[in-house]
Amino acid sequence: MEAVTALAHRRTGGDRERDRHEPSHTCPAGPGVDAILMLAAYGELPAADLGRAVGHMVRGEQVELNRITGVLDEVTAAGAHADVWTALAQAVLLLLPGPGVKTRPRLGDLLKVAVRAPVLAGARDCRPGAGGAGGTQGLEPAHP
């Protein structure tokens, strides 16, 4: 989960002092996005694990939801649609409020990315998938 650590550290301002003195990275969001895109390009991104980690980190207030949303939106725009779809299928399950619980601020922005990713990935239909760890369910393309 080095990509998640880099993503969270970079996007929550952990490198602000260094960033004042160093040139920007190839990707405006920095090494978090670069790492995710590189792993996705080689088919090595553990997207479901990334999604679960993102969900837990946001719930634990280790990273702000709007920052993660921005990164995942950039990764989607860069072409890793299917991986973001897989990741967000896990993250959203952890972030949706229960009955009577107030909705987390900016969750709607994350849900927009969660809807956009499968559309860009070419999904024609979605259906709940078989559960992963802990009995969670994800989304997967429907097969004709």
Side-chain angles (χ1 to χ4, degrees), residues 17-69:
E17 183 62 33
R18 188 199 75 210
D19 290 345
R20 290 184 194 142
H21 305 290
E22 290 186 13
S24 63
H25 298 278
T26 56
C27 182
V33 171
D34 291 342
I36 291 170
L37 289 173
M38 185 65 70
L39 289 168
Y42 286 100
E44 297 293 328
L45 180 68
D49 291 338
L50 173 68
R52 284 188 292 276
V54 163
H56 287 294
M57 290 172 62
V58 170
R59 284 173 69 178
E61 298 181 1
Q62 296 169 321
V63 67
E64 295 177 23
L65 183 59
N66 64 326
R67 295 184 187 273
I68 290 293
T69 300

Side-chain angles (χ1 to χ4, degrees), residues 8 14 24 44 51 58 63 69 74 77 79 82 93 102 112 124 135-136 139:
S24 63
E44 297 293 328
V58 170
V63 67
T69 300
E74 287 183 49
L93 292 172
K102 185 178 174 184
K112 288 177 189 175
R124 292 179 287 157
T136 61
L139 298 175

Side-chain angles (χ1 to χ4, degrees), residues 4 7-14 16 53-72 95 104-107 109-110:
V4 175
L7 181 151
H9 184 65
R10 174 68 175 193
R11 298 301 284 179
T12 57
R16 281 188 187 136
V54 163
H56 287 294
M57 290 172 62
V58 170
R59 284 173 69 178
E61 298 181 1
Q62 296 169 321
V63 67
E64 295 177 23
L65 183 59
N66 64 326
R67 295 184 187 273
I68 290 293
T69 300
V71 169
L72 293 175
L95 298 174
R104 185 177 304 276
R106 306 273 189 198
L107 182 60
D109 295 333
L110 183 72

